[in-house]
Coordinates of all heavy atoms in Angstrom, one line a residue:
P89 N 189.9 88.7 164.8 CA 190.9 88.0 164.0 C 192.2 88.7 163.8 O 193.2 88.0 163.7 CB 190.1 87.8 162.6 CG 189.0 88.7 162.6 CD 188.7 89.0 164.1
S90 N 192.2 90.0 163.7 CA 193.5 90.7 163.5 C 194.4 90.8 164.7 O 195.5 91.2 164.6 CB 193.3 92.0 162.9 OG 192.7 91.9 161.6
S91 N 193.9 90.3 165.9 CA 194.8 90.4 167.0 C 195.6 89.1 167.1 O 196.5 89.0 168.0 CB 193.9 90.5 168.3 OG 193.1 89.4 168.5
E92 N 195.3 88.1 166.3 CA 196.0 86.9 166.3 C 197.4 87.1 165.7 O 197.6 88.0 164.9 CB 195.3 85.8 165.5 CG 193.9 85.4 166.0 CD 193.2 84.5 165.2 OE1 193.8 83.8 164.3 OE2 192.0 84.4 165.3
R93 N 198.3 86.2 166.0 CA 199.7 86.3 165.4 C 199.9 85.1 164.6 O 199.8 84.0 165.1 CB 200.7 86.4 166.5 CG 200.6 87.7 167.3 CD 201.1 88.9 166.5 NE 200.9 90.1 167.2 CZ 200.2 91.1 166.7 NH1 199.7 91.1 165.6 NH2 200.1 92.2 167.4
P94 N 200.3 85.2 163.3 CA 200.3 86.4 162.5 C 198.9 87.0 162.3 O 197.9 86.2 162.3 CB 200.9 86.0 161.2 CG 200.6 84.6 161.0 CD 200.5 84.0 162.5
P95 N 198.7 88.3 162.0 CA 197.4 88.8 161.8 C 196.6 88.1 160.7 O 197.2 87.7 159.7 CB 197.6 90.3 161.4 CG 199.0 90.6 161.9 CD 199.7 89.3 161.9
Q96 N 195.3 87.9 160.8 CA 194.5 87.2 159.8 C 194.1 88.2 158.7 O 193.9 89.4 159.0 CB 193.3 86.6 160.5 CG 193.7 85.6 161.6 CD 194.6 84.5 161.1 OE1 194.4 83.9 160.1 NE2 195.7 84.3 161.9

Side-chain angles (χ1 to χ4, degrees):
S90 294
S91 66
E92 297 175 22
R93 296 285 175 236
Q96 301 305 312

